[in-house]
Amino acid sequence: MPVLQSPALGPLPLGLLLLFLLRGCGASRPSFLLILADDLGIGDLGCYGNRTLRTLNIDRLAEEGVMLTQHLAAAPLCTPSRAAFLTGRHAFRSGMAGSGGYRALQWNAGSGGLPQNETTFARILRQQGYATGLVGKWHQGVSCATRHDHCHHPLSHGFDHFYGMPFTLLSDCHPNGPPELAAATRVQLQSCTRLLALGTLSLLAARLCGLLPVPWKSLLGAACLSLLLHLCWSCSSGFVRRWNCILMRNHEVTEQPMDLGHSTRLLLREARAFIQRHRHGPFLLLVSLLHVHVPLPTAPAFLGRSLHGLYGDHVEEMDWFVGKLLDGLEKNGLKNTTLTYFTSDHGGHLEARDGSSQLGGWNGIYRGQTGTGGWEGGIRVPGLFRWPGVLPAGRVIREPTSLMDVFPTVVELAGGQVPRDRVIDGRSLLPLLRGEEEHSGHEFLFHYCGTELHAARWHHRDSGQVWKVHYTTPRFHPPGAGACYGSGVCPCSGDGVTHHRPPLLFELSSDPAEARLLSPDSEPLFHAVVARVGEAVAEHRKTLSPVPQQLSTSRVLWRPWLQPCCGTFPFCGCQEDSDSTPQKPGL
Ligand SMILES: *[C@@H]1O[C@H](CO)[C@@H](O)[C@H](O)[C@H]1NC(C)=O
Ligand SMILES: *[C@@H]1O[C@H](CO)[C@@H](O)[C@H](O)[C@H]1NC(C)=O
Ligand SMILES: *[C@@H]1O[C@H](CO)[C@@H](O)[C@H](O)[C@H]1NC(C)=O
């Protein structure tokens, strides 16, 4: 299989030399265990104030490390947030953000994805001599032009080992799950069929009445096509599951469709085996959890254990998973030499519900959720960093920081260089984490919903105030709900949003819940703040430049010739044997 990889180990740069020198003074390059949860709300964790969900392992990371309380995702949905996390750049810079149409990749067999010329932290670390692994969810595309080119695949973006879902978990992945993606596709297919059938009938009528000389051949063709579409529609349940819910090891599909009953176990085993294999380090392991995305596949041992239904059970299973990873580090004597990080790609999905039971996360006091780019609830996520002996234990930092900061932080620690030929939006967290600096590198942060700037944040360092200016907000329904019930996620643009002139202003250091709207009458600084933030936005806009759109309809659509498949297309299907993986399970 052709492997599109960046040239392995480039010339060892100066940074590495410097590190060898530094090593003599007690500093050395850590390994990295980065854990990224999916759709987890900041209010779901004990260390962030949840008193009833038990997340003791994750809480332990906070006790033994640094906890960030204003850690912000660059986007409120998976595909753009992860693109920004991996590259240290806003997703619109790589074309991985969309607003009006698609906002995330929809198929493994679309042609959009993270472009080749974007540089992930994994690629830089690999050049620095790290073993780089990804276990879990990718959701950054697979191929460009042919089934096997794998131009967007993790192995083409600096990971030398991949095991997991090239796509994302969806409720369609459960054999009896309510369709999530399938529903939309089926509705489209059904409307097409109906239109075509109606058209054929009208033409037939016109022909019979002698109004239009339509050839019988065309009529027959149209009728056959309607019938074919109808057949497709009726067999399309299960379609999404087969094409999107798959597991791959490196370039090979190992399970199609995947069996949710053992995926947690397989992923954990793979992650622990990676740690064990690379214990002589240095390594970078990104564990991109399938937890806590619907359909919440949960082992029987965890069912009914929490006080919060299936969702709570599933969060507790995730915490167990994290505990097993930490345990893997400790067993290999790697606890002190590994920087461990835990976060979530964006806020919890309040609208995920099944009747009266809640299937999505809790964002604590913050308004908004998955999909809302401006409100805190969509973007404020957990941020925990542990590196015993180097980072202080139990410190809480309230400064604004971004998930994009992980990129320069990790690169710097590995002795690499961030790319200088492009805008990098992240700032190294090291001075802040080590307590050498009081403030983060972000005086301003820009909060996007797709390609639309919805809000901007100004940390006024002298006064400590954190101003948040909202230019556009989604219309919640019901109003005041903090969510858009009945429509998946809130929109970024169009009729579902309100543009504010003057913008809405909040002061987050005294009002983190964005509950007290400030006005020129109530806030003497109103105009000055709005004007200063406006200037910063204008400066920021100068850094934007057009790039090819990866989420355009034409790139997102399913293409049979790009579909990853085990067996011969279209007869794809294979099952992984839970017990015959070559690595030592150690579970
Ligand atoms: C803890 O998390 C659960 C599940 O998301 C949520 O229902 C509950 O409100 C949270 N409790 C607190 C105190 O935040
Ligand atoms: C790991 O770091 C902790 C905290 O500094 C220290 O107490 C402990 O002795 C270290 N363990 C090892 C094996 O170096
Ligand atoms: C990657 O290529 C696209 C298309 O040629 C270009 O617009 C973009 O600026 C490039 N990105 C980088 C980081 O060089």
Side-chain angles (χ1 to χ4, degrees):
M1 228 168 261
V3 186
L4 299 174
Q5 284 164 349
S6 56
L9 304 184
L12 288 186
L14 259 178
L16 199 60
L17 198 72
L18 212 74
L19 264 150
F20 278 124
L21 297 178
L22 278 176
R23 213 171 252 205
C25 325
S28 77
R29 302 196 300 168
S31 287
F32 299 96
L33 171 61
L34 311 179
I35 308 169
L36 179 61
D38 196 1
D39 289 11
L40 180 75
I42 191 170
D44 287 328
L45 299 180
C47 51
Y48 284 94
N50 201 308
R51 298 277 155 263
T52 44
L53 260 181
R54 283 162 301 191
T55 56
L56 300 179
N57 292 299
I58 296 167
D59 299 350
R60 184 148 60 91
L61 286 176
E63 280 156 32
E64 298 177 349
V66 177
M67 177 163 97
L68 304 178
T69 63
Q70 203 180 152
H71 198 42
L72 301 152
L77 276 188
C78 305
T79 298
S81 170
R82 288 156 187 264
F85 172 69
L86 288 160
T87 60
R89 291 150 55 74
H90 276 292
F92 53 79
R93 300 197 195 281
S94 52
M96 292 290 274
S99 295
Y102 294 106
R103 290 167 62 190
L105 297 172
Q106 308 283 307
W107 300 99
N108 276 321
S111 69
L114 192 63
Q116 266 299 294
N117 63 356
E118 289 296 328
T119 303
T120 66
F121 51 72
R123 184 177 289 167
I124 299 177
L125 264 66
R126 191 155 178 263
Q127 289 161 358
Q128 295 300 114
Y130 276 68
T132 52
L134 168 63
V135 172
K137 159 174 171 170
W138 176 238
H139 210 180
Q140 300 291 305
V142 182
S143 289
C144 292
T146 64
R147 195 187 312 287
H148 298 297
D149 71 39
H150 289 179
C151 66
H152 305 302
H153 187 278
L155 296 198
S156 299
H157 277 296
F159 290 99
D160 53 33
H161 184 74
F162 169 57
Y163 179 72
M165 288 188 82
F167 194 59
T168 174
L169 213 51
L170 287 167
S171 56
D172 309 69
C173 295
H174 193 286
N176 314 315
E180 197 175 327
L181 187 60
T185 316
R186 298 191 78 211
V187 167
Q188 281 164 9
L189 208 55
Q190 194 181 21
S191 335
C192 281
T193 315
R194 283 194 181 151
L195 265 175
L196 197 64
L198 214 68
T200 316
L201 283 178
S202 325
L203 287 176
L204 182 67
R207 164 87 211 212
L208 290 177
C209 308
L211 295 174
L212 261 180
V214 193
W216 286 110
K217 258 190 196 161
S218 316
L219 278 175
L220 193 66
C224 286
L225 196 61
S226 319
L227 195 69
L228 195 73
L229 278 179
H230 179 75
L231 279 177
C232 282
W233 174 75
S234 46
C235 336
S236 66
S237 56
F239 186 80
V240 177
R241 180 165 174 252
R242 176 156 310 260
W243 302 135
N244 274 346
C245 307
I246 65 174
L247 284 176
M248 289 179 95
R249 173 172 289 106
N250 298 325
H251 288 295
E252 218 170 305
V253 177
T254 57
E255 193 161 275
Q256 185 170 22
M258 63 195 263
D259 169 2
L260 299 183
H262 67 180
S263 42
T264 299
R265 201 165 67 238
L266 295 180
L267 292 175
L268 179 56
R269 186 161 72 184
E270 191 83 10
R272 285 177 53 117
F274 182 91
I275 294 172
Q276 163 109 30
R277 253 196 333 275
H278 297 287
R279 62 188 176 282
H280 302 301
F283 66 82
L284 164 91
L285 175 61
L286 171 56
V287 178
S288 173
L289 297 166
L290 305 186
H291 293 77
V292 297
H293 202 291
V294 286
L296 310 173
T298 309
F302 289 93
L303 290 177
R305 271 199 7 187
S306 79
L307 297 172
H308 296 285
L310 177 60
Y311 181 77
D313 299 345
H314 193 66
V315 172
E316 293 191 6
E317 183 187 67
M318 173 190 71
D319 183 69
W320 165 85
F321 193 117
V322 171
K324 284 284 179 192
L325 293 175
L326 301 182
D327 187 54
L329 287 181
E330 267 169 64
K331 281 221 170 93
N332 288 294
L334 297 171
K335 183 175 172 185
N336 285 12
T337 52
T338 304
L339 174 63
T340 304
Y341 170 65
F342 181 89
T343 194
S344 174
D345 59 353
H346 49 70
H349 195 183
L350 288 181
E351 290 120 342
R353 278 181 169 181
D354 180 14
S356 60
S357 61
Q358 181 65 24
L359 301 181
W362 177 246
N363 298 316
I365 59 168
Y366 304 109
R367 194 173 347 170
Q369 40 94 41
T370 300
T372 59
W375 296 111
E376 291 293 284
I379 53 177
R380 201 185 276 227
V381 291
L384 305 171
F385 286 86
R386 183 187 77 172
W387 186 6
V390 178
L391 303 183
R395 172 176 294 170
V396 177
I397 293 178
R398 296 176 204 286
E399 286 285 300
T401 57
S402 167
L403 261 69
M404 295 185 287
D405 297 343
V406 170
F407 178 93
T409 306
V410 163
V411 167
E412 184 181 332
L413 280 170
Q417 288 275 330
V418 298
R420 289 169 191 275
D421 60 346
R422 61 195 71 187
V423 180
I424 300 287
D425 297 292
R427 300 283 175 267
S428 171
L429 290 169
L430 287 181
L432 185 67
L433 293 177
R434 288 192 176 129
E436 294 156 9
E437 296 249 5
E438 195 185 334
H439 295 301
S440 77
H442 298 288
E443 187 181 1
F444 294 94
L445 275 167
F446 304 96
H447 302 302
Y448 276 79
C449 188
T451 49
E452 309 289 319
L453 178 75
H454 272 200
R457 166 185 326 245
W458 178 26
H459 183 205
H460 187 255
R461 287 161 178 174
D462 296 339
S463 68
Q465 281 161 315
V466 178
W467 301 101
K468 176 107 164 273
V469 174
H470 289 263
Y471 299 103
T472 303
T473 55
R475 297 209 182 112
F476 292 139
H477 41 97
C484 299
Y485 290 108
S487 70
V489 288
C490 294
C492 298
S493 58
D495 293 340
V497 302
T498 310
H499 301 289
H500 302 280
R501 288 198 184 73
L504 309 181
L505 180 69
F506 297 92
E507 199 285 295
L508 300 186
S509 70
S510 59
D511 175 29
E514 298 173 282
R516 286 197 304 278
L517 183 61
L518 302 175
S519 69
D521 297 330
S522 69
E523 176 51 63
L525 292 174
F526 186 96
H527 292 297
V529 170
V530 169
R532 179 69 191 92
V533 175
E535 280 167 27
V537 168
E539 275 303 305
H540 162 74
R541 286 206 199 275
K542 289 187 195 153
T543 71
L544 309 191
S545 52
V547 287
Q549 291 305 307
Q550 301 298 325
L551 302 182
S552 63
T553 306
S554 65
R555 288 211 170 145
V556 161
L557 286 183
W558 183 72
R559 291 156 161 73
W561 60 91
L562 294 187
Q563 178 61 50
C565 170
C566 51
T568 312
F569 187 83
F571 308 101
C572 315
C574 52
Q575 202 57 43
E576 201 159 325
D577 183 350
S578 316
D579 306 311
S580 71
T581 321
Q583 289 92 25
K584 239 176 44 196
L587 288 179

